[in-house]
Every structure is written in C-alpha cells, then in structure tokens.
C-alpha cells in the first residue's frame, strides 16, 4: 500500500516537473531577417540590423571578420566614421537558453571617392 502511494506521488511529481521543464524550455532562436550589405562614403555611418525569433530573452553578439565586437550586443550595429579598416564582413549571433543562430554575412564597403577632374 505504501509502495503504491509513493508510486502515485512520484508519478504526479514527475508529471509536474516535466510540465515545468517543457514550458520553461525556450524556442531556439532563428534569424528571420539577416543584416544587409552596406556601402557608405568614408566618414559616414553604416547601420546593420537583424530580426530574430525565439524564446525570450534573446542575446546578440556582432562579429567583424569572424571576431566578436566588444560591447556590441543589441539587434542593431552602427559603424560610425567608417574607414578602410572597417571594410569587411559583419555577422551577428543570436542566442538563448535553447541554442544559437548565426546570420549570413553582410559586407561593408566604402564607396569610391569622386574622381578629381582638375580645373
């Protein structure tokens, strides 16, 4: 009798724990709108953004040529005063407790300077 009571209790507790785990398990992130390529004049600002879905909270990390950009942890990235050193590939990782999604690469290029025609 005691064994049957304990079994029923464990079955109830196990079901509650399973439901708690199932509802707490976040949906893995997915990048739905990746950042787009940008071409700007030297000294201008290039803006990148990403749209992602998944269980909250979502965390973001931007990368330049595969290296994490310190402090760049939002859904948007502004490269201010763009220079030749900033040209390259930008991507973003979006994560939560269920996984990580990496965006496709967006390329930043500087537009060609106007040709000097002389006077």
């Amino acid at each position: 009798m005691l064994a049957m009571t304990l079994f029923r209790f464990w079955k109830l507790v196990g079901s509650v724990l399973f439901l708690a785990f199932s509802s707490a398990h976040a949906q893995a992130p997915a990048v739905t709108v990746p950042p787009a390529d940008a071409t700007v004049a030297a000294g201008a600002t290039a803006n990148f953004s990403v749209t992602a879905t998944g269980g909250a909270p979502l965390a973001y990390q931007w990368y330049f040529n595969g290296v994490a950009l310190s402090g760049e942890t939002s859904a948007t990235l502004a490269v201010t005063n763009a220079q030749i050193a900033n040209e390259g590939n930008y991507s973003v990782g979006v994560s939560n407790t269920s996984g990580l999604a990496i965006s496709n690469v967006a390329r930043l290029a500087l537009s060609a300077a106007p040709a000097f025609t002389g006077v």
Side-chain angles (χ1 to χ4, degrees), residues 23 53 62 82 85 91 101:
S23 62
T53 60
W62 285 91
S91 60

Side-chain angles (χ1 to χ4, degrees), residues 76-103:
T76 60
L77 172 68
V79 179
T80 58
N81 190 27
Q83 301 297 320
I84 291 173
N86 303 115
E87 284 188 309
N89 298 318
Y90 290 82
S91 60
V92 60
V94 183
S95 64
N96 64 13
T97 57
S98 294
L100 169 68
I102 304 288
S103 73

